[in-house]
Amino acid sequence: MTIIEKVWFDANRIYIQTDKGEELSRPLEAFPVLKDASTDERLDFRIGRFGDDIRWEKLDEDVHISSFFEIAEPDPENEVGQIFSRFPQLNVSEMARYIGINKSLLAKYIYGIKRPSRERMLQIKHAMHKMGKELVAV
């Protein structure tokens, strides 16, 4: 079993070094809680007892080593990301609440880490259209 020996960050990525000498990294967009965290908050972690996960107690965030192997690089051309780029005034937390989904999940859609299902994309668009109608009524 591969275990995490070292964890570090730069401005845009999280890195790990394994006991096998592998150096792996992921964009912080893959982990929205860490992306939004301060440098001090990011550095306040512990590697789990079995060496296969990282825990940020104060952020209530866990990252498993498998995340460094399973998640594809972000797709900057994704539809949700394009919508949020076009309307940068949209607040991700408030839009997630309005849509009825988790902020971290919406952020992963925005950054192209995850792709919404067809049904979820329709749900996102429906919520945005509904908000637009409410704004027009003002």
Side-chain angles (χ1 to χ4, degrees), residues 1 12 25 41 50 70 72 80 92 113 122-125:
M1 178 176 93
N12 301 308
S25 76
E41 289 171 324
F50 301 109
E70 295 173 355
V80 179
V92 177
I113 300 300
L122 290 173
Q123 179 188 15
I124 292 168
K125 286 181 177 181

Side-chain angles (χ1 to χ4, degrees), residues 8-26:
W8 70 99
F9 296 86
D10 69 18
N12 301 308
R13 298 184 79 84
I14 179 174
Y15 297 84
I16 63 168
Q17 184 175 355
T18 70
D19 62 330
K20 294 180 172 46
E22 297 171 293
E23 201 172 279
L24 307 168
S25 76
R26 300 295 308 129

Side-chain angles (χ1 to χ4, degrees), residues 25-87:
S25 76
R26 300 295 308 129
L28 285 174
E29 284 86 357
F31 311 104
V33 170
L34 297 177
K35 182 172 178 25
D36 292 343
S38 70
T39 300
D40 288 341
E41 289 171 324
R42 287 183 195 150
L43 295 176
D44 188 16
F45 66 86
R46 67 174 170 73
I47 297 172
R49 187 171 94 189
F50 301 109
D52 63 349
D53 69 317
I54 311 160
R55 172 77 179 154
W56 288 264
E57 192 67 40
K58 290 180 183 171
L59 298 173
D60 192 26
E61 179 74 344
D62 298 285
V63 174
H64 192 268
I65 192 170
S66 62
S67 298
F68 290 86
F69 297 104
E70 295 173 355
I71 301 173
E73 288 294 317
D75 174 11
E77 300 301 317
N78 75 82
E79 189 174 8
V80 179
Q82 289 174 353
I83 292 168
F84 277 80
S85 290
R86 185 171 173 202
F87 301 100

